[in-house]
Amino acid sequence: MRPSRLALATALSLISTLPLAACVTTPPPHERALINNELCAQELSKGELVRAETYCDLGLEFSPQYADLWANKGIIAMYSGRKDDAKKHFIKALRYNQEHLQAYQNLGIIYTEEGAYGKAHDNLRRALKVNPDNMETRYSLAFVLMKMKRTTEAKKELRTLLAVNPGLSDAHHTLGIIAYSENEFDQAVEHLTQAVQLTPDAPHKWHDLGTALMELSRFAEAREAFANCTRLEPSNSSCINNLSLAQRKAALTDAAFKELKDTQQAENSAPALYMLARQYREKGLLAEEEGTYRKCVKLDGKFAPCHYGLFQIFSEAHKREHAEVACKNFLKYGTSEEFPTEYQTCEKYLSDATF
């Protein structure tokens, strides 16, 4: 997870680590520079980067030391993927105004994305000195502190955020990640649950909640979390795989099912094993279902329903050779009177296989 980018609603800027001696006395901006800066900001808010830069450059012709114009040029470069240019422009903005909040914030974001957490930390700290009430800066700093493994400081910043606004989903999520890394799984689940309640459309947060729930053996809840992740992001392989695992563990640890399984296995008859296999099928436990059918036909090779169960598994898995054998065994030991639908299905399958 990365800190979110700042909104391009006003003239945004970026800042770097400059010595105090670099500060220069700047004259007030020319009226035409102010006008062009406003036009630049308007085009930025619309995503019109080329037009925005045209206005910024024109404004700089009137006031080359106007920090907001350099900051906006940095924003333009940042959103154009020219991070090196962006940093240069932000540094220049800071040279002319060492209290440019947005400049510090955005430099912090760029350095965070580059993995330069020390530089990100310094810029975000300076931004907080400019405005301690800025919550986005404080969250970005907490995220960087977490990345630097300074978790005590990160938790302090996140708790400060939540004291001001308990509804910050990202703050709860990051506290959950930190708690998980410290093996405090109950705390992790508490914060991650609040995170998904606040932003239920975030698949990565459902994934992380499911992962923490698995550590506490709360498999049914983990299954639900991974199912939500998969619903929101069907291509998420980690959620798909973990959903299958959680479903399996939830089924196998379910008290009522465990009692049924023990009862059927203790009876150790072909009908009892068949019933158990169908229960496995309902819960999506295909490996256990197949294994139970095999035990069934080993115990009583003439018990037709278990042969049909194997046929279903093999045909669904496109294992035609095995499916045909199971189908023939079913027709050998079953009758159309006992199993009319199954008998017809098997006959059709074998008939199709001959063409």
Side-chain angles (χ1 to χ4, degrees), residues 43-280:
E43 296 301 323
L44 262 175
S45 68
K46 294 186 291 185
E48 296 288 345
L49 302 184
V50 174
R51 290 174 60 84
E53 189 155 26
T54 299
Y55 285 120
C56 276
D57 289 339
L58 183 57
L60 286 170
E61 290 185 22
F62 291 96
S63 294
Q65 295 179 341
Y66 187 17
D68 285 357
L69 284 168
W70 285 111
N72 280 330
K73 277 182 67 70
I75 290 287
I76 293 164
M78 182 171 71
Y79 281 89
S80 300
R82 297 180 284 113
K83 290 185 180 180
D84 287 341
D85 288 340
K87 286 185 284 187
K88 289 175 185 177
H89 296 326
F90 298 142
I91 288 169
K92 189 165 284 191
L94 284 174
R95 183 174 299 145
Y96 301 128
N97 179 2
Q98 286 201 337
E99 293 191 351
H100 207 294
L101 172 65
Q102 289 85 6
Y104 282 123
Q105 287 177 318
N106 287 310
L107 265 184
I109 288 171
I110 289 179
Y111 284 129
T112 300
E113 291 176 347
E114 293 177 345
Y117 299 124
K119 291 181 179 180
H121 169 272
D122 293 346
N123 280 279
L124 293 168
R125 278 287 183 205
R126 290 182 180 185
L128 272 185
K129 286 182 180 179
V130 175
N131 182 7
D133 283 335
N134 190 285
M135 290 192 292
E136 184 160 8
T137 299
R138 195 173 293 278
Y139 173 74
S140 297
L141 176 61
F143 180 85
V144 167
L145 287 166
M146 179 187 72
K147 288 293 187 179
M148 297 173 77
K149 305 202 182 300
R150 292 163 60 174
T151 55
T152 300
E153 295 170 76
K155 287 188 285 188
K156 178 178 179 293
E157 299 296 346
L158 292 166
R159 286 168 182 155
T160 300
L161 278 171
L162 291 173
V164 177
N165 184 356
L168 293 176
S169 175
D170 284 347
H172 282 296
H173 180 244
T174 305
L175 275 172
I177 296 300
I178 293 172
Y180 184 89
S181 70
E182 296 175 339
N183 295 326
E184 297 289 344
F185 301 122
D186 285 309
Q187 261 187 52
V189 166
E190 179 183 345
H191 284 295
L192 293 169
T193 298
Q194 292 183 70
V196 298
Q197 287 173 347
L198 290 164
T199 51
D201 58 347
H204 68 284
K205 293 179 182 179
W206 283 110
H207 173 276
D208 294 343
L209 173 59
T211 302
L213 287 165
M214 291 290 281
E215 293 289 346
L216 295 174
S217 299
R218 291 164 61 175
F219 302 123
E221 295 167 85
R223 177 184 59 198
E224 182 180 350
F226 290 127
N228 282 325
C229 174
T230 304
R231 175 178 54 81
L232 292 165
E233 191 176 359
S235 62
N236 190 316
S237 59
S238 181
C239 283
I240 293 169
N241 294 335
N242 279 296
L243 173 59
S244 176
L245 179 62
Q247 183 172 332
R248 179 179 299 276
K249 287 184 176 292
L252 294 175
T253 56
D254 178 77
F257 180 69
K258 187 175 184 303
E259 183 178 352
L260 171 66
K261 182 180 71 172
D262 291 344
T263 300
Q264 301 296 76
Q265 288 179 336
E267 184 177 328
N268 199 34
S269 66
L273 290 174
Y274 175 74
M275 288 181 61
L276 178 58
R278 301 314 283 183
Q279 289 293 317
Y280 280 132

